[in-house]
Amino acid sequence: TSNVTIGSSSGNTTIRGNLVTNSTLSTPKIVSGSQTVAVSGTTVLDSFVATDFRSAKYIIRASSDLGFQTLEVLLIHDDVDAYITLYGDISTVDMDVVEITAEMSAGNIELYATDIAANTSIRIMGTYFFPST
């Protein structure tokens, strides 16, 4: 319930070993967080206000009764539409475990996953870049 400040505004702070956080890690222009999402049909994986961020990068790991998949997603928007590209997409089966899409809806950018098989779960880590302009 409190904030901890390490270092100064004019110097660097070096961390050796592990930096552990159980929610969000934030620097002045970058925010990063992770979560686990159960996917049934088409499910929102992440949503953010379009005016807060212009772009994001996601690392996604999907698992289902079909197999496993991991991929990276780059997302950008132009205040009207959201655009994504997928790369580093690899699966333990000869097909995707999930399909990833994005769109702008009511001023929010939403990233979606659509399951291909039963019992689909996604672990997602997102990094968001300030400012939106």
Side-chain angles (χ1 to χ4, degrees), residues 12-126:
N12 294 325
T13 301
T14 301
I15 298 172
R16 288 185 174 77
N18 296 321
L19 174 62
V20 179
T21 177
N22 62 2
S23 67
T24 300
L25 178 63
S26 179
T27 64
K29 300 218 180 250
I30 302 171
V31 176
S32 185
S34 66
Q35 62 182 333
T36 301
V37 179
V39 178
S40 180
T42 299
T43 304
V44 175
L45 292 180
D46 190 46
S47 178
F48 61 86
V49 177
T51 56
D52 288 348
F53 308 106
R54 177 65 61 196
S55 60
K57 179 178 181 176
Y58 299 96
I59 299 173
I60 296 172
R61 196 247 6 236
S63 61
S64 74
D65 289 350
L66 185 63
F68 302 93
Q69 178 183 3
T70 188
L71 66 143
E72 293 187 68
V73 177
L74 287 180
L75 179 148
I76 193 164
H77 71 88
D78 61 6
D79 297 319
V80 178
D81 293 308
Y83 305 92
I84 62 171
T85 189
L86 310 177
Y87 61 99
D89 189 348
I90 188 168
S91 174
T92 59
V93 292
D94 290 334
M95 58 186 289
D96 289 340
V97 174
V98 293
E99 292 181 0
I100 305 296
T101 57
E103 69 178 36
M104 184 159 182
S105 175
N108 293 318
I109 303 301
E110 296 182 338
L111 184 72
Y112 298 96
T114 303
D115 61 346
I116 306 298
N119 300 312
T120 299
S121 176
I122 298 231
R123 182 78 175 155
I124 181 171
M125 181 176 73

